[in-house]
């Protein structure tokens, strides 16, 4: 698979080294643009829609995380290239694919690029299967505990559940029911049915999904028109319903 890449690095010498290493040691990767600042990096990313972005952490007037925060629904993978190891946890929290230390080790660079290639190939394969949904089930009933007893609800009537601290909002076609149970409670209660945890805040009835929009995690559109975000870590689980 061919990878399209962009480099965002404020040091010209570091950009040149990485550019040369990619050309010499990494196959099937095309460098489409470079930026020396956050602003320049954003321009290059929006212009080229890369598969992969190489990011230095510390740059003038901000850092790599400021850039990533401005692209919440990004479709590219990120490889951090930095001389500082204290940013590893922040990089992980921003779903970085790899963390390379300077000076760049060629074997590690090759490993990082191939790791990203494997991720993108898997994503493409899964997204290509979305058009053929496998049979799913949303039949049966669930009881919702209430102060004066409980309410019996058809599972098929639920569009999605949304977390609200220790409460859960149950969304039906024309109303919302608030229950004093966590979203984890309903995830377990509905695990035998066609419900997928797509985000820390959302549990969705897969039978109501009518569209998936690509992104780092992407989003789903339900039959009632509601669009919900999908977290990157939950994307594969959701798409597995459509294999």
């Amino acid at each position: 698979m061919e990878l399209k890449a962009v480099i965002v690095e404020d040091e010209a010498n570091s950009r040149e080294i990485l550019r040369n290493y990619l050309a010499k040691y990494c196959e099937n990767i095309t460098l489409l643009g470079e930026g020396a600042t956050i602003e320049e990096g954003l321009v290059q990313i929006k212009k080229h829609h890369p598969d992969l972005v190489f990011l230095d952490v510390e740059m003038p007037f901000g850092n790599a995380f400021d850039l990533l925060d401005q692209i919440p629904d990004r479709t590219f993978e990120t490889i951090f290239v930095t001389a500082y190891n204290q940013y590893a946890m922040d990089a992980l929290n921003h779903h970085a694919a790899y963390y390379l230390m300077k000076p760049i080790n060629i074997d590690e660079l090759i490993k990082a690029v191939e790791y990203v290639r494997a991720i993108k190939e898997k994503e493409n394969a899964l997204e290509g299967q979305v058009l053929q949904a496998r049979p799913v089930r949303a039949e049966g009933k669930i009881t919702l505990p209430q102060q004066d007893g409980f309410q019996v609800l058809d599972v098929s009537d639920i569009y999605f559940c949304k977390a609200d601290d220790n409460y859960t909002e149950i969304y039906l076609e024309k109303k919302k029911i608030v229950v004093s149970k966590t979203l984890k409670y309903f995830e377990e209660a509905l695990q035998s049915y066609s419900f997928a945890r797509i985000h820390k805040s959302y549990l969705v009835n897969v039978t109501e999904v009518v569209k998936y929009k690509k992104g780092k995690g992407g989003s789903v559109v339900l039959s009632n028109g509601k669009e919900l975000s999908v977290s990157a870590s939950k994307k594969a689980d959701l798409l597995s319903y459509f294999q």
Side-chain angles (χ1 to χ4, degrees):
M1 175 183 175
E2 183 77 19
L3 291 177
K4 300 180 295 182
V6 164
I7 296 173
V8 184
E9 160 70 66
D10 65 315
E11 296 181 359
N13 183 58
S14 295
R15 292 198 303 273
E16 182 180 4
I17 290 172
L18 181 54
R19 185 191 315 126
N20 291 338
Y21 281 0
L22 291 173
K24 187 173 182 179
Y25 300 108
C26 298
E27 297 181 353
N28 297 321
I29 184 167
T30 302
L31 183 60
L32 298 179
E34 299 179 11
T37 65
I38 292 173
E39 291 75 17
E40 291 178 6
L42 286 170
V43 169
Q44 293 299 315
I45 290 169
K46 292 177 181 178
K47 177 181 178 181
H48 297 294
H49 304 287
D51 302 304
L52 169 60
V53 174
F54 293 92
L55 264 182
D56 187 15
V57 175
E58 295 192 349
M59 288 178 284
F61 312 110
N63 59 37
F65 308 113
D66 297 323
L67 183 152
L68 293 176
D69 287 341
Q70 295 185 57
I71 315 175
D73 297 322
R74 57 189 183 273
T75 59
F76 58 85
E77 295 296 329
T78 306
I79 294 178
F80 281 88
V81 186
T82 178
Y84 307 96
N85 59 14
Q86 67 264 34
Y87 296 108
M89 183 57 67
D90 286 331
L92 180 64
N93 290 336
H94 281 76
H95 303 291
Y98 219 91
Y99 196 89
L100 290 176
M101 294 293 297
K102 296 178 181 177
I104 297 173
N105 178 285
I106 293 172
D107 289 337
E108 282 296 306
L109 174 63
I110 295 171
K111 183 178 178 182
V113 170
E114 291 307 311
Y115 181 72
V116 169
R117 196 189 314 277
I119 291 174
K120 300 304 291 187
E121 287 176 345
K122 182 178 180 180
E123 284 183 357
N124 288 344
L126 285 171
E127 288 166 355
Q129 295 170 358
V130 169
L131 294 177
Q132 301 199 359
R134 62 177 173 82
V136 291
R137 182 170 70 96
E139 301 165 347
K141 296 182 182 294
I142 186 173
T143 57
L144 306 182
Q146 298 179 333
Q147 288 185 342
D148 59 350
F150 60 85
Q151 179 178 352
V152 181
L153 192 68
D154 286 329
V155 171
S156 60
D157 289 341
I158 301 173
Y159 282 82
F160 68 96
C161 306
K162 180 181 179 182
D164 183 11
D165 292 328
N166 291 324
Y167 291 82
T168 297
E169 299 173 354
I170 310 294
Y171 285 82
L172 309 178
E173 183 176 6
K174 295 182 179 180
K175 67 177 180 177
K176 175 181 71 175
I177 302 173
V178 180
V179 183
S180 58
K181 293 288 185 180
T182 65
L183 189 61
K184 180 66 175 178
Y185 171 89
F186 286 101
E187 182 180 10
E188 294 174 352
L190 295 168
Q191 63 183 349
S192 298
Y193 303 97
S194 56
F195 282 77
R197 186 74 176 263
I198 63 169
H199 189 277
K200 66 180 181 180
S201 298
Y202 300 123
L203 178 69
V204 67
N205 183 347
V206 179
T207 64
E208 299 295 341
V209 174
V210 297
K211 185 175 183 179
Y212 170 75
K213 295 184 179 180
K214 291 183 178 181
K216 180 63 180 175
S219 64
V220 292
V221 179
L222 305 183
S223 60
N224 63 355
K226 183 69 174 180
E227 183 171 349
L228 305 175
S229 296
V230 180
S231 66
S233 61
K234 300 294 185 181
K235 180 177 181 177
D237 291 340
L238 169 69
L239 295 182
S240 68
Y241 280 87
F242 299 90
Q243 293 180 356

